[in-house]
Amino acid sequence: MAPNDSVPGLVTADPGLPRPNPTHSYWQHIPHALADVQSPDLPTDQDFAIIGSGITGLAVAKTLLEQHPTATVTVLEARALCSGATGRNGGQMAANAGEQYSSLAETHGAETAGKIVDFTFRNLEKMQELIREYDAVELSEMQNLRKLRVFLTQGKFNEFKRSIEHLEADHPSKKGLYTIVDADTVVKNHGIHGTFGGALLPAGTVWPYRLVTKVFSALLEMYPERLKLETYTPVESVEYTSPSLSPAGAINFYTLRTPRGPLRAGVVIHCTNGYSGHLLPKLRGLVHPFKGTMTVQDPGNSVPNRGAAFSWGFHYPPSSDPQTKRVGYGLYYLGQSAKSGYFYFGGENARVDESVTADDSFVAEHSVGHLQSVLPKFFGKTDISNWRLIGSWSGIMGETPDGLPIVGQLSPALTGREGDGEWIAAAFNGYGMANSLMSGEALALMILGEDVSSWLPIAYGLGEKRLRETLTIPKAVDALSKL
Ligand SMILES: Cc1cc2nc3c(=O)[nH]c(=O)nc-3n(C[C@H](O)[C@H](O)[C@H](O)COP(=O)(O)OP(=O)(O)OC[C@H]3O[C@@H](n4cnc5c(N)ncnc54)[C@H](O)[C@@H]3O)c2cc1C
């Protein structure tokens, strides 16, 4: 790394605005009719301004529209609709709270750790309910399946088993959620080679771009007067200004500056994921961008299509190559299209300075090459003459030092601005499909004055203790420096 690319410099850098020319994600290869939707003129006054049109922005917008009888809602998106992480991810609907249980319980106690397990698994069910409610099972190619997590070292497998034992001891109702399988069964029943064992858990796969765009489109039809989608409208700054009266009589304090002119709003909701630090400089380091690499690979006919029944995760201890300085971050994730047999395969093998960045305008050749070389081996394949790379791209996740999302109201100390009308739901640490929908819903309900503390894990909030102890720049630096 160059000296100014030191880990503290990387995590606290301004992520900037989403780059205007992102890599081409396979999920978006047929753009939705609303991909570049915008009003002829940007609305001037709205009750709620949501920044970001991924699954979190969608969940906030949907809940506000459903729960408030008159509110006007504008979603501002820097690029095309749903062109951030949600339109560029791995399509895995899977939770990771079981494997994290021991460390969560150690930091937050058994009750909160159990709530995180409940929240993430319930969120996955709600994803499937949303897909059914909007008649998107076919369109989004949703599969309700089992995920096979496998472990590439004995140490990782033991650590995982201990965490599941800990979960089951603290919360006996969770017995049966994870089914441990030994290495022989992994090869014989699942055709996966080179592991020390694994576990099966309930999960799913989905085409998230198709889901999110379909629901946005349905909301626009349902609420034509109250919802506006403004794509290609980057918010360049948020200012707390003197109050103005909206057409509905509300007092708006915020001005959002965009290249299409200003928009005034009473409440500003940041659903900006890895880019959050751009409009919220005081969050830099507490949330940092992390660039992920995805591939679509066609195995030809060399591997049976199990995409309707299984998805896969491959876990190994993170390590760094002393020569190339490339880090293997510990996880590969895999789904398979039940229709085409194509594999959707992602995972990171790149230098820290290549990974801690918000630039998804290119994808490193060596990261793609790595994903091409490891996948056939998991299936015991050496002859890969029929194996083809269909596509590759990068996308930007939001990460926090403690690995948990941030959901809640932003104090003036965090916005650097007056006022208490700014809120955030962001940084799902690579597990948005297990968190974003209910986090967005919870945030909207909190904004409307409801108490969600019985189901939103307190550890996702921006409480003083978290800001003092676990959500800190030194912790972020520490986590990355160990690699
Ligand atoms: C390569 C990759 C693979 C992943 N795989 C999985 C997976 O398999 N399963 C899983 O659960 N999760 C996965 N994730 C994570 C998951 O995609 C995210 O957690 C989730 O999509 C976050 O949704 P979001 O709406 O919060 O953010 P995003 O979808 O990133 O949306 C944020 C939006 O805000 C916009 N924006 C930002 N700043 C501004 C601004 N100033 N003005 C206007 N607009 C702005 C962005 O353009 C973007 O569209 C993956 C992520 C990546 C990148």
Side-chain angles (χ1 to χ4, degrees):
M1 285 186 286
N4 55 354
D5 282 348
S6 66
V7 172
L10 290 168
V11 294
T12 56
D14 178 359
L17 286 168
R19 309 302 185 265
N21 51 343
T23 44
H24 181 82
S25 156
Y26 176 85
W27 303 118
Q28 300 174 47
H29 73 269
I30 303 174
H32 190 271
L34 294 176
D36 56 1
V37 62
Q38 53 173 235
S39 311
D41 296 306
L42 191 68
T44 49
D45 273 280
Q46 293 281 287
D47 297 315
F48 298 99
I50 298 172
I51 312 173
S53 69
I55 187 148
T56 312
L58 172 78
V60 174
K62 179 173 177 293
T63 310
L64 288 174
L65 291 162
E66 286 170 353
Q67 300 297 320
H68 193 293
T70 56
T72 50
V73 175
T74 289
V75 178
L76 299 126
E77 167 55 56
R79 309 192 293 209
L81 192 67
C82 193
S83 56
T86 310
R88 328 179 69 75
N89 70 16
Q92 301 270 324
M93 294 197 285
N96 68 335
E99 43 275 39
Q100 281 194 326
Y101 182 80
S102 276
S103 79
L104 289 172
E106 203 175 291
T107 313
H108 305 283
E111 193 189 336
T112 297
K115 250 183 161 178
I116 295 173
V117 175
D118 285 339
F119 182 86
T120 49
F121 279 94
R122 177 69 192 120
N123 194 101
L124 295 175
E125 288 169 1
K126 286 196 84 159
M127 285 288 289
Q128 297 205 7
E129 287 165 18
L130 180 79
I131 294 167
R132 293 201 176 91
E133 183 190 339
Y134 283 82
D135 194 18
V137 174
E138 284 276 304
L139 179 78
S140 71
E141 299 185 14
M142 180 193 99
Q143 299 293 341
N144 184 8
L145 42 68
R146 310 274 280 165
K147 178 154 186 164
L148 175 65
R149 291 199 180 280
V150 296
F151 300 87
L152 306 183
T153 65
Q154 189 66 52
K156 267 279 160 197
F157 191 34
N158 292 345
E159 194 185 298
F160 169 77
K161 284 190 290 188
R162 275 197 300 273
S163 189
I164 300 304
E165 276 165 20
H166 193 167
L167 167 70
E168 292 178 350
D170 285 354
H171 305 279
S173 68
K174 299 289 170 277
K175 280 190 185 149
L177 193 57
Y178 289 80
T179 309
I180 306 287
V181 281
D182 63 27
D184 280 350
T185 310
V186 171
V187 183
K188 280 192 200 127
N189 293 5
H190 299 278
I192 305 289
H193 294 246
T195 83
F196 284 78
L200 288 160
L201 64 150
T205 51
V206 67
W207 192 309
Y209 175 75
R210 287 192 178 167
L211 169 66
V212 168
T213 50
K214 172 147 195 188
V215 180
F216 264 130
S217 158
L219 292 177
L220 263 190
E221 269 178 38
M222 271 186 272
Y223 304 102
E225 304 302 326
R226 293 172 54 203
L227 173 65
K228 301 268 178 288
L229 299 181
E230 305 294 342
T231 63
Y232 292 99
T233 308
V235 177
E236 294 166 327
S237 68
V238 175
E239 293 160 26
Y240 186 82
T241 41
S242 54
S244 70
L245 220 52
S246 83
I251 300 172
N252 288 344
F253 283 99
Y254 292 96
T255 300
L256 285 71
R257 303 268 172 215
T258 85
R260 296 175 59 212
L263 179 140
R264 308 266 307 164
V267 175
V268 180
I269 304 150
H270 298 260
C271 301
T272 41
N273 199 23
Y275 306 95
S276 300
H278 183 60
L279 297 173
L280 296 162
K282 291 186 187 296
L283 280 195
R284 291 178 197 163
L286 313 193
V287 175
H288 66 77
F290 188 87
K291 178 167 162 172
T293 308
M294 267 299 297
T295 59
V296 179
Q297 303 187 31
D298 177 3
N301 292 323
S302 60
V303 175
N305 188 339
R306 298 188 181 96
F310 296 103
S311 65
W312 303 266
F314 306 82
H315 298 254
Y316 61 97
S319 65
S320 161
D321 180 322
Q323 286 209 310
T324 61
K325 306 274 188 251
R326 286 178 204 149
V327 176
Y329 287 90
L331 174 69
Y332 304 106
Y333 41 96
L334 176 67
Q336 186 172 26
S337 165
K339 278 193 177 163
S340 64
Y342 286 1
F343 280 130
Y344 304 117
F345 187 52
E348 306 331 313
N349 191 280
R351 293 192 317 266
V352 172
D353 60 313
E354 291 174 315
S355 299
V356 184
T357 169
D359 187 352
D360 60 1
S361 66
F362 70 97
V363 55
E365 250 177 58
H366 55 81
S367 300
V368 175
H370 179 81
L371 291 175
Q372 282 181 274
S373 74
V374 294
L375 182 55
K377 290 184 196 142
F378 288 136
F379 289 94
K381 300 294 164 199
T382 43
D383 175 9
I384 52 166
S385 43
N386 284 337
W387 204 290
R388 282 187 311 140
L389 180 70
I390 303 295
S392 61
W393 65 92
S394 59
I396 307 303
M397 301 175 223
E399 293 211 336
T400 50
D402 60 7
L404 296 176
I406 52 174
V407 183
Q409 188 166 24
L410 290 158
S411 65
L414 288 174
T415 59
R417 295 180 275 271
E418 282 179 68
D420 57 3
E422 291 187 63
W423 301 73
I424 187 164
F428 300 98
N429 292 275
Y431 282 86
M433 302 300 104
N435 280 291
S436 304
L437 185 62
M438 280 171 64
S439 294
E441 187 185 328
L443 189 75
L445 292 174
M446 282 157 79
I447 294 169
L448 297 177
E450 276 195 36
D451 179 5
V452 295
S453 59
S454 63
W455 51 277
L456 179 72
I458 191 167
Y460 288 13
L462 285 160
E464 262 177 48
K465 186 168 184 287
R466 185 177 184 199
L467 289 167
R468 199 177 52 243
E469 290 176 9
T470 58
L471 202 65
T472 65
I473 294 171
K475 291 264 183 207
V477 172
D478 198 36
L480 287 160
S481 305
K482 278 193 205 133
L483 296 169

